[in-house]
Coordinates of all heavy atoms in Angstrom, one line a residue:
M81 N 52.1 11.4 -46.3 CA 52.5 11.8 -47.6 C 52.4 10.6 -48.5 O 52.9 9.5 -48.2 CB 53.9 12.4 -47.6 CG 54.4 12.5 -49.0 SD 56.0 13.4 -49.3 CE 57.0 12.8 -47.9
P82 N 51.7 10.7 -49.6 CA 51.6 9.5 -50.5 C 53.0 9.2 -51.1 O 53.8 10.2 -51.5 CB 50.7 10.0 -51.6 CG 50.0 11.2 -51.1 CD 50.9 11.8 -50.1
V83 N 53.4 8.0 -51.2 CA 54.6 7.5 -51.8 C 54.4 6.3 -52.6 O 53.6 5.4 -52.2 CB 55.7 7.2 -50.7 CG1 56.9 6.6 -51.3 CG2 56.0 8.4 -49.8
F84 N 54.9 6.2 -53.8 CA 54.8 5.0 -54.6 C 56.3 4.6 -55.0 O 57.0 5.4 -55.5 CB 54.0 5.3 -55.9 CG 54.0 4.1 -56.8 CD1 53.0 3.1 -56.6 CD2 54.9 3.9 -57.9 CE1 52.9 2.0 -57.5 CE2 54.8 2.8 -58.7 CZ 53.8 1.9 -58.5
T85 N 56.6 3.4 -54.8 CA 57.9 2.8 -55.1 C 57.7 1.7 -56.1 O 57.0 0.7 -55.9 CB 58.6 2.3 -53.9 OG1 58.8 3.4 -52.9 CG2 60.0 1.7 -54.2
Y86 N 58.4 1.9 -57.3 CA 58.4 0.9 -58.3 C 59.7 0.1 -58.1 O 60.8 0.7 -58.2 CB 58.3 1.5 -59.7 CG 58.5 0.5 -60.9 CD1 57.6 -0.5 -61.1 CD2 59.6 0.6 -61.7 CE1 57.7 -1.4 -62.1 CE2 59.7 -0.3 -62.8 CZ 58.8 -1.3 -63.0 OH 58.9 -2.1 -64.0
N87 N 59.6 -1.2 -57.8 CA 60.8 -2.0 -57.4 C 60.7 -3.3 -58.2 O 60.4 -4.3 -57.6 CB 60.7 -2.2 -55.9 CG 62.0 -2.8 -55.4 OD1 63.1 -2.6 -55.9 ND2 61.9 -3.6 -54.3
P88 N 60.9 -3.3 -59.5 CA 60.6 -4.4 -60.3 C 61.5 -5.7 -60.0 O 61.0 -6.8 -60.2 CB 60.8 -3.9 -61.7 CG 61.8 -2.8 -61.6 CD 61.4 -2.2 -60.3
S89 N 62.7 -5.5 -59.7 CA 63.6 -6.6 -59.5 C 64.2 -6.7 -58.1 O 64.9 -7.7 -57.8 CB 64.8 -6.5 -60.5 OG 65.6 -5.4 -60.2
G90 N 63.9 -5.8 -57.3 CA 64.5 -5.8 -55.9 C 65.9 -5.2 -55.9 O 66.5 -5.1 -54.9
R91 N 66.4 -4.8 -57.1 CA 67.8 -4.2 -57.1 C 67.7 -2.7 -57.0 O 66.8 -2.1 -57.7 CB 68.5 -4.6 -58.5 CG 68.6 -6.1 -58.6 CD 69.3 -6.5 -59.9 NE 69.4 -5.5 -60.9 CZ 69.7 -5.8 -62.2 NH1 69.8 -7.0 -62.5 NH2 69.7 -4.8 -63.1
A92 N 68.5 -2.1 -56.1 CA 68.4 -0.7 -55.9 C 68.5 0.2 -57.1 O 67.9 1.2 -57.2 CB 69.4 -0.3 -54.8
Q93 N 69.3 -0.2 -58.1 CA 69.6 0.6 -59.3 C 68.3 0.7 -60.2 O 68.3 1.6 -61.0 CB 70.8 0.1 -60.1 CG 70.7 -1.3 -60.6 CD 71.3 -2.4 -59.7 OE1 71.2 -2.2 -58.5 NE2 71.8 -3.4 -60.3
E94 N 67.4 -0.2 -60.0 CA 66.1 -0.2 -60.8 C 65.0 0.4 -60.0 O 63.9 0.7 -60.6 CB 65.8 -1.5 -61.3 CG 66.7 -2.1 -62.3 CD 66.3 -3.4 -62.9 OE1 65.5 -4.1 -62.3 OE2 66.9 -3.8 -63.9
R95 N 65.1 0.7 -58.7 CA 64.1 1.2 -57.9 C 63.8 2.7 -58.1 O 64.8 3.5 -58.2 CB 64.4 1.0 -56.4 CG 63.4 1.3 -55.4 CD 63.8 1.0 -54.0 NE 64.2 -0.4 -53.9 CZ 65.2 -0.8 -53.1 NH1 65.9 0.0 -52.4 NH2 65.5 -2.1 -53.1
R96 N 62.6 3.1 -58.3 CA 62.2 4.4 -58.5 C 61.1 4.8 -57.5 O 60.1 4.0 -57.3 CB 61.7 4.7 -59.9 CG 62.7 4.4 -61.0 CD 63.8 5.4 -61.0 NE 64.8 5.2 -62.0 CZ 65.9 4.4 -61.8 NH1 66.2 3.9 -60.7 NH2 66.8 4.3 -62.8
T97 N 61.1 6.0 -56.9 CA 60.2 6.4 -56.0 C 59.6 7.8 -56.3 O 60.4 8.7 -56.7 CB 60.8 6.5 -54.5 OG1 61.2 5.1 -54.2 CG2 59.7 6.9 -53.5
V98 N 58.3 8.0 -56.3 CA 57.7 9.3 -56.4 C 56.9 9.6 -55.2 O 56.3 8.7 -54.6 CB 56.9 9.4 -57.7 CG1 57.7 9.4 -59.0 CG2 55.9 8.2 -57.8
K99 N 56.8 10.8 -54.8 CA 56.2 11.2 -53.6 C 55.1 12.3 -53.9 O 55.2 13.0 -54.9 CB 57.2 11.8 -52.6 CG 58.2 10.7 -52.2 CD 59.2 11.3 -51.2 CE 60.2 10.2 -50.8 NZ 61.1 10.6 -49.8
G100 N 54.2 12.4 -52.9 CA 53.0 13.3 -53.1 C 53.3 14.8 -52.7 O 52.4 15.6 -52.8
G101 N 54.5 15.1 -52.2 CA 54.8 16.5 -51.9 C 54.5 17.0 -50.5 O 54.7 18.1 -50.2
G102 N 53.9 16.2 -49.7 CA 53.6 16.6 -48.3 C 52.4 15.9 -47.8 O 51.7 15.1 -48.5
A103 N 52.1 16.2 -46.5 CA 51.0 15.5 -45.8 C 49.7 16.0 -46.5 O 49.6 17.1 -46.9 CB 51.0 15.9 -44.4
L104 N 48.7 15.1 -46.6 CA 47.4 15.4 -47.1 C 46.5 16.0 -46.0 O 46.5 15.6 -44.9 CB 46.7 14.2 -47.7 CG 47.5 13.5 -48.8 CD1 46.7 12.3 -49.2 CD2 47.6 14.5 -50.0
A105 N 45.8 17.1 -46.4 CA 44.8 17.6 -45.5 C 43.7 16.6 -45.3 O 43.4 15.8 -46.2 CB 44.2 18.9 -46.1
P106 N 42.9 16.7 -44.2 CA 41.8 15.8 -44.0 C 40.8 16.0 -45.2 O 40.7 17.0 -45.8 CB 41.1 16.4 -42.7 CG 42.2 17.1 -42.0 CD 43.1 17.7 -43.1
G107 N 40.1 14.8 -45.5 CA 39.2 14.8 -46.6 C 39.5 13.8 -47.6 O 40.5 13.0 -47.5
T108 N 38.8 13.8 -48.7 CA 38.9 12.8 -49.7 C 39.9 13.3 -50.8 O 39.9 14.5 -51.1 CB 37.6 12.6 -50.4 OG1 36.6 12.1 -49.5 CG2 37.7 11.6 -51.6
H109 N 40.8 12.4 -51.2 CA 41.8 12.7 -52.2 C 41.9 11.6 -53.2 O 41.6 10.5 -52.9 CB 43.2 12.9 -51.5 CG 43.2 14.0 -50.5 ND1 43.4 15.3 -50.9 CD2 43.1 14.0 -49.2 CE1 43.4 16.1 -49.8 NE2 43.2 15.3 -48.7
E110 N 42.3 12.0 -54.4 CA 42.6 11.0 -55.5 C 44.1 11.0 -55.7 O 44.7 12.0 -56.1 CB 41.8 11.3 -56.7 CG 42.1 10.3 -57.8 CD 41.3 10.5 -59.1 OE1 40.2 11.1 -59.0 OE2 41.7 10.2 -60.1
I111 N 44.7 9.8 -55.6 CA 46.1 9.7 -55.8 C 46.3 8.7 -57.0 O 45.7 7.6 -57.0 CB 46.8 9.1 -54.6 CG1 46.6 10.0 -53.4 CG2 48.3 8.9 -54.9 CD1 46.9 9.4 -52.1
S112 N 47.0 9.1 -58.0 CA 47.2 8.2 -59.2 C 48.7 8.2 -59.6 O 49.4 9.1 -59.3 CB 46.4 8.7 -60.4 OG 46.9 10.0 -60.8
V113 N 49.1 7.0 -60.1 CA 50.4 6.8 -60.6 C 50.3 6.2 -62.0 O 49.5 5.3 -62.2 CB 51.2 5.8 -59.6 CG1 52.5 5.5 -60.1 CG2 51.2 6.4 -58.2
A114 N 51.2 6.7 -62.9 CA 51.1 6.2 -64.3 C 52.5 6.1 -64.8 O 53.4 6.9 -64.4 CB 50.3 7.2 -65.1
F115 N 52.7 5.2 -65.7 CA 53.9 5.0 -66.5 C 53.6 5.6 -67.9 O 52.8 5.1 -68.6 CB 54.3 3.6 -66.6 CG 54.8 3.0 -65.4 CD1 53.9 2.3 -64.5 CD2 56.1 3.0 -65.0 CE1 54.3 1.8 -63.3 CE2 56.6 2.4 -63.8 CZ 55.7 1.8 -63.0
V116 N 54.2 6.8 -68.2 CA 53.9 7.5 -69.4 C 55.0 7.3 -70.4 O 56.2 7.5 -70.0 CB 53.7 9.0 -69.1 CG1 53.4 9.8 -70.4 CG2 52.6 9.2 -68.1
P117 N 54.7 6.8 -71.6 CA 55.8 6.7 -72.6 C 56.6 8.0 -72.8 O 56.0 9.1 -72.8 CB 55.1 6.3 -73.9 CG 53.8 5.7 -73.4 CD 53.4 6.5 -72.2
A118 N 57.9 7.9 -72.9 CA 58.8 9.0 -73.1 C 59.7 8.7 -74.3 O 59.7 7.7 -74.8 CB 59.6 9.3 -71.8
D119 N 60.5 9.7 -74.6 CA 61.5 9.5 -75.7 C 62.3 8.3 -75.5 O 62.6 7.5 -76.4 CB 62.4 10.7 -75.9 CG 61.6 11.9 -76.4 OD1 60.5 11.7 -77.1 OD2 62.0 13.1 -76.2
K120 N 62.8 8.1 -74.3 CA 63.6 6.9 -73.9 C 62.9 6.3 -72.7 O 63.0 6.9 -71.6 CB 65.0 7.3 -73.6 CG 65.9 6.2 -73.2 CD 67.3 6.6 -72.9 CE 68.1 5.3 -72.5 NZ 69.4 5.7 -72.0
G121 N 62.3 5.2 -72.9 CA 61.7 4.5 -71.7 C 60.3 5.1 -71.4 O 59.5 5.4 -72.2
F122 N 60.2 5.3 -70.1 CA 58.9 5.8 -69.5 C 59.2 6.9 -68.5 O 60.3 7.0 -67.9 CB 58.1 4.7 -68.9 CG 57.7 3.6 -69.9 CD1 58.6 2.6 -70.2 CD2 56.5 3.6 -70.5 CE1 58.3 1.6 -71.1 CE2 56.1 2.7 -71.4 CZ 57.0 1.6 -71.7
T123 N 58.1 7.6 -68.1 CA 58.2 8.5 -67.0 C 57.2 8.1 -66.0 O 56.0 8.0 -66.3 CB 57.9 10.0 -67.4 OG1 58.9 10.4 -68.4 CG2 58.0 10.9 -66.2
L124 N 57.6 7.8 -64.8 CA 56.7 7.4 -63.7 C 56.2 8.7 -63.1 O 57.0 9.6 -62.7 CB 57.5 6.6 -62.6 CG 56.7 6.3 -61.4 CD1 55.5 5.4 -61.7 CD2 57.7 5.5 -60.4
T125 N 54.9 8.9 -63.1 CA 54.3 10.2 -62.7 C 53.2 9.9 -61.6 O 52.4 9.1 -61.7 CB 53.5 10.8 -63.9 OG1 54.5 11.0 -64.9 CG2 52.9 12.1 -63.5
M126 N 53.4 10.7 -60.5 CA 52.4 10.7 -59.4 C 51.6 12.0 -59.5 O 52.1 13.1 -59.7 CB 53.0 10.6 -58.0 CG 51.9 10.6 -56.9 SD 52.5 10.5 -55.3 CE 52.4 8.7 -55.1
K127 N 50.2 11.8 -59.4 CA 49.4 13.0 -59.3 C 48.6 12.9 -58.0 O 48.1 11.8 -57.6 CB 48.4 13.0 -60.4 CG 49.0 13.3 -61.8 CD 47.9 13.4 -62.8 CE 48.5 13.7 -64.2 NZ 47.4 13.7 -65.2
V128 N 48.4 14.0 -57.3 CA 47.5 14.1 -56.2 C 46.4 15.1 -56.5 O 46.7 16.3 -56.8 CB 48.2 14.5 -54.9 CG1 47.3 14.7 -53.7 CG2 49.3 13.5 -54.5
D129 N 45.2 14.7 -56.5 CA 44.0 15.5 -56.8 C 44.2 16.2 -58.2 O 43.9 17.4 -58.4 CB 43.8 16.6 -55.7 CG 43.4 15.9 -54.4 OD1 42.8 14.8 -54.4 OD2 43.7 16.5 -53.3
G130 N 44.8 15.4 -59.2 CA 44.9 15.9 -60.5 C 46.1 16.7 -60.8 O 46.4 17.1 -62.0
K131 N 47.0 17.0 -59.8 CA 48.2 17.8 -60.0 C 49.4 16.9 -59.9 O 49.5 16.1 -59.0 CB 48.3 18.9 -59.0 CG 47.1 19.9 -59.1 CD 47.3 21.0 -58.0 CE 46.1 21.9 -58.1 NZ 46.0 22.9 -57.0
V132 N 50.3 17.0 -60.9 CA 51.6 16.3 -60.9 C 52.4 16.7 -59.7 O 52.7 17.9 -59.5 CB 52.4 16.4 -62.2 CG1 53.7 15.8 -62.1 CG2 51.6 15.9 -63.4
T133 N 52.8 15.8 -58.8 CA 53.6 16.1 -57.7 C 55.1 15.7 -57.9 O 56.0 16.4 -57.3 CB 53.1 15.4 -56.4 OG1 53.1 14.0 -56.6 CG2 51.7 15.9 -56.1
Q134 N 55.3 14.6 -58.6 CA 56.7 14.2 -58.9 C 56.8 13.2 -60.0 O 55.8 12.5 -60.2 CB 57.4 13.6 -57.6 CG 58.9 13.4 -57.7 CD 59.5 13.0 -56.4 OE1 58.9 12.3 -55.6 NE2 60.7 13.4 -56.2
T135 N 57.9 13.2 -60.7 CA 58.1 12.3 -61.8 C 59.5 11.6 -61.6 O 60.4 12.2 -60.9 CB 58.0 12.9 -63.2 OG1 59.1 13.9 -63.3 CG2 56.7 13.6 -63.4
A136 N 59.7 10.5 -62.2 CA 61.0 9.8 -62.2 C 61.1 9.0 -63.5 O 60.2 8.4 -64.0 CB 61.1 8.9 -61.0
P137 N 62.3 9.0 -64.1 CA 62.6 8.2 -65.3 C 62.6 6.8 -65.0 O 63.1 6.3 -64.0 CB 63.9 8.8 -65.8 CG 64.6 9.2 -64.6 CD 63.6 9.7 -63.7
V138 N 62.1 6.0 -65.9 CA 62.1 4.5 -65.8 C 62.6 4.0 -67.2 O 62.0 4.3 -68.2 CB 60.7 3.9 -65.5 CG1 60.7 2.4 -65.5 CG2 60.2 4.4 -64.2
D139 N 63.7 3.3 -67.2 CA 64.3 2.8 -68.5 C 63.4 1.8 -69.1 O 63.2 1.8 -70.4 CB 65.7 2.2 -68.2 CG 66.7 3.2 -67.8 OD1 66.5 4.4 -68.1 OD2 67.6 2.8 -67.1
R140 N 62.8 0.9 -68.4 CA 61.9 -0.1 -68.9 C 61.0 -0.6 -67.8 O 61.2 -0.5 -66.7 CB 62.8 -1.3 -69.4 CG 63.6 -2.0 -68.4 CD 64.6 -3.0 -69.0 NE 65.4 -3.5 -67.9 CZ 65.4 -4.8 -67.5 NH1 64.7 -5.6 -68.1 NH2 66.2 -5.1 -66.6
I141 N 59.9 -1.1 -68.3 CA 58.9 -1.7 -67.4 C 59.0 -3.2 -67.4 O 59.0 -3.8 -68.5 CB 57.5 -1.3 -67.8 CG1 57.3 0.2 -67.6 CG2 56.4 -2.0 -66.9 CD1 56.0 0.7 -68.1
I142 N 59.2 -3.8 -66.3 CA 59.2 -5.2 -66.1 C 57.8 -5.7 -65.7 O 57.3 -5.3 -64.7 CB 60.2 -5.7 -65.1 CG1 61.6 -5.2 -65.5 CG2 60.2 -7.2 -64.9 CD1 62.7 -5.5 -64.5
R143 N 57.2 -6.4 -66.6 CA 55.8 -6.8 -66.3 C 55.8 -8.0 -65.3 O 56.4 -9.0 -65.6 CB 55.1 -7.3 -67.6 CG 55.0 -6.2 -68.6 CD 54.3 -6.6 -69.9 NE 54.4 -5.7 -70.9 CZ 53.7 -4.6 -71.1 NH1 52.7 -4.3 -70.3 NH2 53.9 -3.8 -72.1
I144 N 55.2 -7.7 -64.2 CA 55.2 -8.7 -63.1 C 53.9 -9.4 -63.0 O 52.8 -8.7 -63.0 CB 55.5 -8.0 -61.8 CG1 56.9 -7.2 -61.9 CG2 55.5 -8.9 -60.6 CD1 57.2 -6.3 -60.8
L145 N 53.9 -10.7 -63.1 CA 52.7 -11.5 -63.0 C 52.1 -11.6 -61.6 O 50.9 -11.7 -61.4 CB 52.9 -12.9 -63.6 CG 53.4 -12.9 -65.1 CD1 53.7 -14.3 -65.5 CD2 52.3 -12.3 -66.0
A146 N 53.0 -11.6 -60.7 CA 52.5 -11.6 -59.3 C 53.4 -10.7 -58.5 O 54.6 -10.5 -58.8 CB 52.6 -13.1 -58.7
G147 N 53.0 -10.2 -57.4 CA 53.8 -9.3 -56.6 C 53.0 -8.9 -55.4 O 52.0 -9.5 -55.0
E148 N 53.5 -7.8 -54.8 CA 53.0 -7.4 -53.5 C 52.8 -5.9 -53.5 O 53.6 -5.1 -54.1 CB 54.0 -7.7 -52.4 CG 53.5 -7.3 -51.0 CD 54.5 -7.8 -50.0 OE1 55.7 -8.1 -50.3 OE2 54.2 -7.8 -48.8
A149 N 51.6 -5.5 -53.1 CA 51.3 -4.0 -52.9 C 51.2 -3.7 -51.5 O 50.4 -4.4 -50.8 CB 50.1 -3.7 -53.7
I150 N 51.9 -2.7 -51.0 CA 51.8 -2.3 -49.6 C 51.1 -1.0 -49.6 O 51.7 0.0 -50.0 CB 53.2 -2.3 -48.9 CG1 53.9 -3.6 -49.1 CG2 53.1 -1.8 -47.5 CD1 55.3 -3.6 -48.7
I151 N 49.9 -0.9 -49.1 CA 49.1 0.3 -49.1 C 48.8 0.7 -47.7 O 48.4 -0.1 -46.9 CB 47.7 0.0 -49.9 CG1 48.1 -0.4 -51.3 CG2 46.9 1.2 -49.8 CD1 46.9 -0.9 -52.1
G152 N 49.1 2.0 -47.5 CA 48.9 2.5 -46.1 C 50.1 2.2 -45.2 O 49.9 2.2 -44.0
R153 N 51.2 1.7 -45.7 CA 52.4 1.3 -44.9 C 53.6 2.2 -45.4 O 53.6 2.7 -46.4 CB 52.7 -0.2 -45.1 CG 51.6 -1.1 -44.7 CD 51.3 -1.1 -43.2 NE 52.5 -1.3 -42.5 CZ 52.6 -2.3 -41.6 NH1 51.6 -3.1 -41.3 NH2 53.8 -2.5 -41.0
P154 N 54.6 2.2 -44.6 CA 55.8 2.9 -44.9 C 56.5 2.4 -46.2 O 56.3 1.3 -46.6 CB 56.8 2.8 -43.8 CG 56.0 2.2 -42.7 CD 54.8 1.5 -43.3
A155 N 57.3 3.3 -46.8 CA 58.0 2.9 -48.0 C 59.1 1.8 -47.7 O 59.4 1.6 -46.5 CB 58.7 4.1 -48.6
L156 N 59.6 1.1 -48.7 CA 60.5 0.0 -48.5 C 61.7 0.4 -47.6 O 62.1 -0.4 -46.7 CB 61.1 -0.4 -49.8 CG 60.1 -1.1 -50.8 CD1 60.8 -1.3 -52.1 CD2 59.7 -2.4 -50.2
D157 N 62.3 1.6 -47.8 CA 63.5 2.0 -47.0 C 63.2 2.9 -45.8 O 64.1 3.4 -45.2 CB 64.5 2.6 -47.9 CG 64.9 1.7 -49.0 OD1 65.0 0.4 -48.7 OD2 65.3 2.1 -50.1
D158 N 61.9 3.2 -45.6 CA 61.6 4.2 -44.5 C 61.3 3.4 -43.2 O 60.3 2.8 -43.0 CB 60.4 5.0 -44.9 CG 60.0 6.1 -43.8 OD1 60.8 6.2 -42.9 OD2 59.0 6.7 -44.0
R159 N 62.3 3.5 -42.3 CA 62.1 2.8 -41.0 C 61.8 3.9 -39.9 O 61.7 3.6 -38.7 CB 63.3 2.0 -40.6 CG 63.7 1.0 -41.7 CD 63.0 -0.3 -41.5 NE 63.6 -1.4 -42.3 CZ 63.3 -1.6 -43.5 NH1 62.4 -0.9 -44.1 NH2 63.8 -2.6 -44.2
T160 N 61.7 5.2 -40.3 CA 61.6 6.2 -39.3 C 60.2 6.7 -39.1 O 59.9 7.3 -38.1 CB 62.4 7.5 -39.8 OG1 61.9 7.9 -41.1 CG2 63.9 7.1 -40.0
G161 N 59.3 6.5 -40.1 CA 57.9 7.0 -40.0 C 57.0 6.0 -39.2 O 57.4 5.0 -38.7
P162 N 55.8 6.4 -39.1 CA 54.8 5.5 -38.4 C 54.6 4.3 -39.2 O 54.8 4.2 -40.4 CB 53.5 6.4 -38.4 CG 53.7 7.4 -39.5 CD 55.2 7.6 -39.6
R163 N 54.1 3.2 -38.5 CA 53.9 1.9 -39.2 C 52.7 1.9 -40.0 O 52.5 1.0 -40.9 CB 53.9 0.8 -38.1 CG 55.2 0.6 -37.3 CD 56.4 0.4 -38.1 NE 56.3 -0.8 -39.0 CZ 57.0 -1.0 -40.1 NH1 57.8 -0.1 -40.6 NH2 56.8 -2.1 -40.8
T164 N 51.7 2.8 -39.8 CA 50.5 2.8 -40.7 C 50.3 4.3 -41.1 O 50.9 5.2 -40.5 CB 49.3 2.3 -40.0 OG1 49.0 3.1 -38.8 CG2 49.5 0.8 -39.6
C165 N 49.4 4.5 -42.0 CA 49.2 5.9 -42.4 C 48.3 6.7 -41.5 O 48.2 7.9 -41.6 CB 48.6 5.9 -43.9 SG 47.0 5.3 -44.0
G166 N 47.6 6.0 -40.6 CA 46.6 6.7 -39.7 C 45.5 7.3 -40.5 O 44.9 8.3 -40.1
C167 N 45.1 6.7 -41.6 CA 44.0 7.2 -42.4 C 43.1 6.1 -42.8 O 43.3 4.9 -42.5 CB 44.6 7.8 -43.7 SG 45.6 6.6 -44.7
E168 N 42.0 6.5 -43.4 CA 41.0 5.5 -43.9 C 41.2 5.4 -45.4 O 41.0 6.4 -46.1 CB 39.6 5.9 -43.6 CG 38.6 4.9 -44.1 CD 37.2 5.4 -43.7 OE1 37.0 5.9 -42.6 OE2 36.3 5.1 -44.5
I169 N 41.5 4.2 -46.0 CA 41.6 4.1 -47.4 C 40.3 3.4 -47.9 O 40.0 2.3 -47.5 CB 42.8 3.2 -47.8 CG1 44.1 3.8 -47.3 CG2 42.9 2.9 -49.2 CD1 45.3 3.0 -47.4
E170 N 39.6 4.2 -48.6 CA 38.2 3.8 -49.0 C 38.3 2.9 -50.2 O 37.5 1.9 -50.3 CB 37.4 5.0 -49.4 CG 36.0 4.8 -49.7 CD 35.2 6.1 -49.9 OE1 35.2 6.9 -49.0 OE2 34.7 6.3 -51.0
K171 N 39.2 3.1 -51.2 CA 39.1 2.4 -52.4 C 40.5 2.4 -53.1 O 41.2 3.4 -53.1 CB 38.1 3.0 -53.4 CG 38.0 2.4 -54.7 CD 36.9 3.1 -55.5 CE 36.9 2.7 -57.0 NZ 35.9 3.5 -57.7
V172 N 40.9 1.3 -53.6 CA 42.1 1.1 -54.4 C 41.8 0.5 -55.7 O 41.1 -0.5 -55.8 CB 43.2 0.3 -53.7 CG1 44.4 0.1 -54.6 CG2 43.6 0.9 -52.4
T173 N 42.2 1.1 -56.8 CA 41.9 0.6 -58.2 C 43.2 0.4 -58.9 O 44.0 1.4 -58.9 CB 41.0 1.5 -59.0 OG1 39.8 1.7 -58.2 CG2 40.7 0.9 -60.3
V174 N 43.5 -0.7 -59.4 CA 44.7 -1.0 -60.2 C 44.2 -1.4 -61.6 O 43.4 -2.2 -61.8 CB 45.5 -2.1 -59.6 CG1 46.7 -2.5 -60.4 CG2 45.9 -1.8 -58.1
G175 N 44.8 -0.7 -62.6 CA 44.4 -1.0 -63.9 C 45.4 -0.4 -64.9 O 46.4 0.2 -64.5
T176 N 45.0 -0.4 -66.2 CA 45.8 0.2 -67.2 C 45.0 1.2 -67.9 O 43.8 1.0 -68.1 CB 46.4 -0.8 -68.2 OG1 45.3 -1.5 -68.8 CG2 47.3 -1.8 -67.5
A177 N 45.6 2.3 -68.4 CA 44.9 3.3 -69.2 C 45.1 3.0 -70.6 O 46.3 2.8 -71.0 CB 45.3 4.7 -68.8
K178 N 44.1 3.0 -71.4 CA 44.3 2.8 -72.9 C 44.6 4.2 -73.5 O 43.9 5.2 -73.2 CB 43.0 2.2 -73.5 CG 42.8 0.8 -72.9 CD 41.6 0.2 -73.6 CE 41.4 -1.2 -73.0 NZ 40.4 -1.9 -73.6
S179 N 45.5 4.2 -74.4 CA 45.8 5.4 -75.1 C 44.7 5.7 -76.2 O 44.2 4.8 -76.7 CB 47.2 5.3 -75.8 OG 47.3 4.2 -76.6
S180 N 44.5 7.0 -76.4 CA 43.4 7.3 -77.3 C 43.9 7.6 -78.7 O 45.0 7.8 -79.0 CB 42.6 8.5 -76.8 OG 43.5 9.5 -76.3

């Protein structure tokens, strides 16, 4: 199952996690995560194959100049699952979307 954890300061009260809603069927999938401006702060949104799977409120975004991305590995607090995703990750793109 796709999982994205935004952990800007390492403090549990600022950590937000969104999940993909279940195991992915074999084949190619597109997983995206976005910080969407909201009335107060932002909404962290995960989409799998174009469908929103989960959202979480984010009070503020802390712009991090350097950091770590763990792709194909368990979430920060998940010690129960497998150590790898057992999948082939073909491409990862990190960027920003410009508003129109």
Side-chain angles (χ1 to χ4, degrees):
M81 168 173 41
V83 176
F84 178 85
T85 300
Y86 175 64
N87 190 32
S89 66
R91 298 180 347 196
Q93 63 267 32
E94 292 183 345
R95 187 177 303 145
R96 300 291 181 266
T97 299
V98 287
K99 298 181 180 183
L104 298 177
T108 301
H109 299 278
E110 181 177 330
I111 301 163
S112 65
V113 177
F115 291 89
V116 180
D119 291 335
K120 181 181 177 188
F122 297 84
T123 300
L124 176 60
T125 303
M126 176 179 270
K127 291 183 181 180
V128 176
D129 297 330
K131 296 179 184 173
V132 174
T133 58
Q134 192 171 29
T135 63
V138 176
D139 293 335
R140 61 192 173 113
I141 295 176
I142 298 174
R143 298 181 194 275
I144 301 171
L145 298 177
E148 181 175 15
I150 301 170
I151 299 168
R153 300 294 304 237
L156 292 172
D157 297 330
D158 182 6
R159 306 271 192 276
T160 62
R163 298 302 302 153
T164 63
C165 68
C167 59
E168 179 182 326
I169 299 172
E170 185 176 300
K171 177 180 169 183
V172 175
T173 303
V174 178
T176 58
K178 295 183 180 184
S179 52
S180 46

